Amino acid sequence: MPLQNKLKKQITIALLFFCALCMAQQPYKRTLKLMGSRFDITVVANDSITANKYIDTAVAEISRIEKLISSWDANSQTSEINRNAGIKAVKVDAELFQLIERAIGISKLTDGAFDISYASMDRIWQFDGSMTEMPSEEEIAASVSKVGFKNIILDKEKSTVFLKLEGMKIGFGAIGKGYAADKAKDVLIAKGVPSGIINASGDMNTWGKQPSGKEWKVAITNPMDKNKVFALLPITNGAVVTSGNYEKFVNFNGKRYTHIIDPRTGYPSSGIISVTVFAPKAELADALATSVFVMGIEAGLDRINQLPKIECIIIDDKGNITKSKNIEIDKV
């Protein structure tokens, strides 16, 4: 082969190799504030321009969800439902109706430990250091007098929602970010994004694998020292949500009361400081993580073990770790 042709061939190979490197897929991440919380959106793409277009699509979807479910936005359908509590039923989009329907389903599953009508509670517990004594039994009972998922009346044919009690409210604080993460993931998959992570302030939803072919790994924070990680767990196509209450709590009579409150009784949960739930959807993982706090270790674990494709890790206030029956932990 003439030297010139050989040189040309080598240059062509080098250029092809260089182009392959340029086109190699890699993760691109953007951090921003949405729904009043931090969102980290990671997509795997060939270049930053494509990646940013994908991320913009996810942001638009999350913003759309916020407008639908926000109880802070006076123009949202959720606010319209709350304004008409005890007055009349409100017609809503099928998407919101179905979200409320699923939320009620989780309330039934958890015997009311999860309840979107928690928004009706009077905020008598303060976790900012200002509380000097426990509220009275009468105050606690009154604080949840308008809470109760059984008073959310749905009419499927008319697609209406009616809150039976005047002053009753619903809110999606314990399920909304998970739902938004699910929807953002769905639109990105529909756009052809091969893999990525939506992290909605600890509500994580993943699909596909890293460009290296390895599974995404989720770090579980050590609640006894939040600057440390106690475990790394692989997750390929599903969601993981960690709820922690090691920062917001009060102590009375030697007992620690945390900011996650039982909507049935008005008393804060105690004994657990961290719950991590693995589920196919972030919406479900979000709701169950809150529920386990309220139900306690024994009842919470028993319920999780009865559900297919759901796993959890519970850490109590003494640092003891309890896990569901089908999960393996790789400690760091």
Side-chain angles (χ1 to χ4, degrees), residues 139-246:
E139 287 174 317
I140 293 170
S143 74
V144 292
S145 60
K146 293 176 181 177
V147 176
F149 69 91
K150 292 177 182 177
N151 291 319
I152 305 172
I153 310 302
L154 302 182
D155 187 324
K156 200 162 192 171
E157 284 187 13
K158 296 178 181 177
S159 192
T160 60
V161 182
F162 177 53
L163 306 182
K164 282 176 69 174
L165 307 178
E166 189 177 342
M168 191 176 173
K169 295 176 184 176
I170 58 171
F172 297 96
I175 198 173
K177 290 195 300 295
Y179 178 60
D182 288 336
K183 295 297 287 183
K185 171 183 170 177
D186 289 346
V187 298
L188 290 174
I189 290 173
K191 286 281 184 183
V193 181
S195 138
I197 304 174
I198 309 291
N199 182 355
S201 293
D203 296 6
M204 296 187 69
N205 210 336
T206 74
W207 70 102
K209 293 186 178 182
Q210 298 180 57
S212 64
K214 293 181 179 178
E215 295 172 311
W216 297 109
K217 285 203 171 183
V218 177
I220 308 298
T221 302
N222 182 343
M224 309 304 284
D225 184 351
K226 63 180 183 177
N227 295 315
K228 293 181 180 179
V229 169
F230 87 84
L232 283 171
L233 292 106
I235 180 166
T236 301
N237 188 19
V240 56
V241 171
T242 297
S243 290
N245 58 13
Y246 32 87

Side-chain angles (χ1 to χ4, degrees), residues 117-128:
S117 71
Y118 80 94
S120 314
M121 283 192 294
D122 290 334
R123 303 292 189 259
I124 59 172
W125 295 88
Q126 304 298 325
F127 299 93
D128 56 4

